[in-house]
Amino acid sequence: MSLTCITCTADRPWAIARAEFLMARQTRPPDEWVVADDGVVPAQLTQGQTHLRRAPSRSGPESLTGNLIAALAVATGDRLVIIEDDDWYAPEYLAVCEARLRQAEVIGCPTLRYYHVASRQHVTMPNIGSALFQTALRRRYRSWLVSAAEQAALAQTYNVDGRFWQALPTGLGERYDTPLTVGIKGMPGRPGLGIGHRPARDKPWHHDPNGQQLYRWIGDDAPYYLDTPR
């Protein structure tokens, strides 16, 4: 079984450097890592990734959907794992994804744990389906994800994950509430998409001035995020 990681990025050097660190320490490294990049300044990649350079997009939704479609078009793995450039993944994340995808067609997580590093706030909430950064799938469902991205592009929305999971037949996607991921928001660089990047608009977020919640979630990795420029 071959495993391809897919990452969409654009002018987020701090985030993509951390993504490389997190992928380098995976107990099960990817067989292929495709990075689709429509930033003005090319991402600096050091791990032999397939680097797809695209012209800058006119909007955030166009950037996400265009990069995702481009990456999916060249991915060769039997199993596809979405790795977002700014999010945290436990060292065993890819190994667990591979094991679960031996039994399930599509996997995800029903719980969102977000941490906004710039304002040191956090929130935990249920999700319908799974967030894109927690989604992995067998290759045969690649066209379903492409279709979801195409629909989101037409609607000028970033809601690719919601469209993908809603289109799956009942019982097809398996969701596991395992704390192997945290959605990291408010990183330096181009602002991210989605509600988690703008906590002032979303309730209820909880203040964490000393970073204690982040330490509970990710342990010794917390200082990297807590010390990022604001």
Side-chain angles (χ1 to χ4, degrees):
M1 179 192 302
S2 58
L3 203 66
T4 295
C5 290
I6 291 176
T7 299
C8 302
T9 195
D11 295 319
R12 296 156 67 87
W14 196 281
I16 197 67
R18 190 60 176 179
E20 286 202 324
F21 170 82
L22 296 174
M23 289 300 102
R25 70 175 187 179
Q26 290 294 305
T27 59
R28 196 292 190 203
D31 300 295
E32 175 183 58
W33 188 1
V34 179
V35 177
D37 171 15
D38 66 339
V40 175
V41 178
Q44 298 299 305
L45 305 180
T46 67
Q47 295 181 8
Q49 298 97 322
T50 299
H51 191 183
L52 303 180
R53 285 289 289 143
R54 301 179 57 250
S57 301
R58 294 174 297 177
S59 68
E62 287 185 10
S63 176
L64 170 62
T65 57
N67 281 342
L68 182 58
I69 291 169
L72 288 168
V74 303
T76 64
D78 302 312
R79 306 293 188 265
L80 310 176
V81 182
I82 305 300
I83 298 295
E84 295 201 4
D85 62 359
D86 55 353
D87 294 318
W88 179 86
Y89 297 90
E92 65 271 27
Y93 181 70
L94 293 183
V96 171
C97 284
E98 180 179 49
R100 288 174 174 168
L101 285 171
R102 293 184 185 278
Q103 306 298 325
E105 303 290 317
V106 178
I107 60 172
C109 180
T111 302
L112 290 170
R113 296 186 300 161
Y114 285 158
Y115 196 95
H116 194 275
V117 298
S119 62
R120 294 197 179 183
Q121 297 183 75
H122 65 92
V123 68
T124 300
M125 52 189 170
N127 194 14
I128 299 173
S130 178
L132 193 61
F133 81 96
Q134 300 166 313
T135 295
L137 56 146
R138 295 192 185 191
R139 184 180 179 84
R140 68 172 65 103
Y141 293 99
R142 178 176 60 171
S143 62
W144 293 51
L145 189 52
V146 169
S147 178
E150 291 173 342
Q151 293 171 25
L154 289 173
Q156 276 295 299
T157 178
Y158 53 82
N159 186 26
V160 177
D161 43 17
R163 293 169 186 270
F164 173 70
W165 279 86
Q166 288 172 9
L168 294 176
T170 301
L172 179 63
E174 295 287 343
R175 301 188 303 158
Y176 304 87
D177 199 0
T178 308
L180 299 176
T181 59
V182 175
I184 302 293
K185 310 301 177 183
M187 291 281 277
R190 182 182 293 187
L193 302 172
I195 61 172
H197 290 280
R198 297 157 185 85
R201 305 178 187 177
D202 313 314
K203 304 297 182 183
W205 285 74
H206 306 284
H207 290 283
D208 185 42
N210 298 320
Q212 293 178 348
Q213 182 61 54
L214 191 59
Y215 271 100
R216 282 192 286 268
W217 279 348
I218 68 174
D220 291 342
D221 285 340
Y224 178 89
Y225 299 99
L226 296 173
D227 294 340
T228 55
R230 302 191 185 191

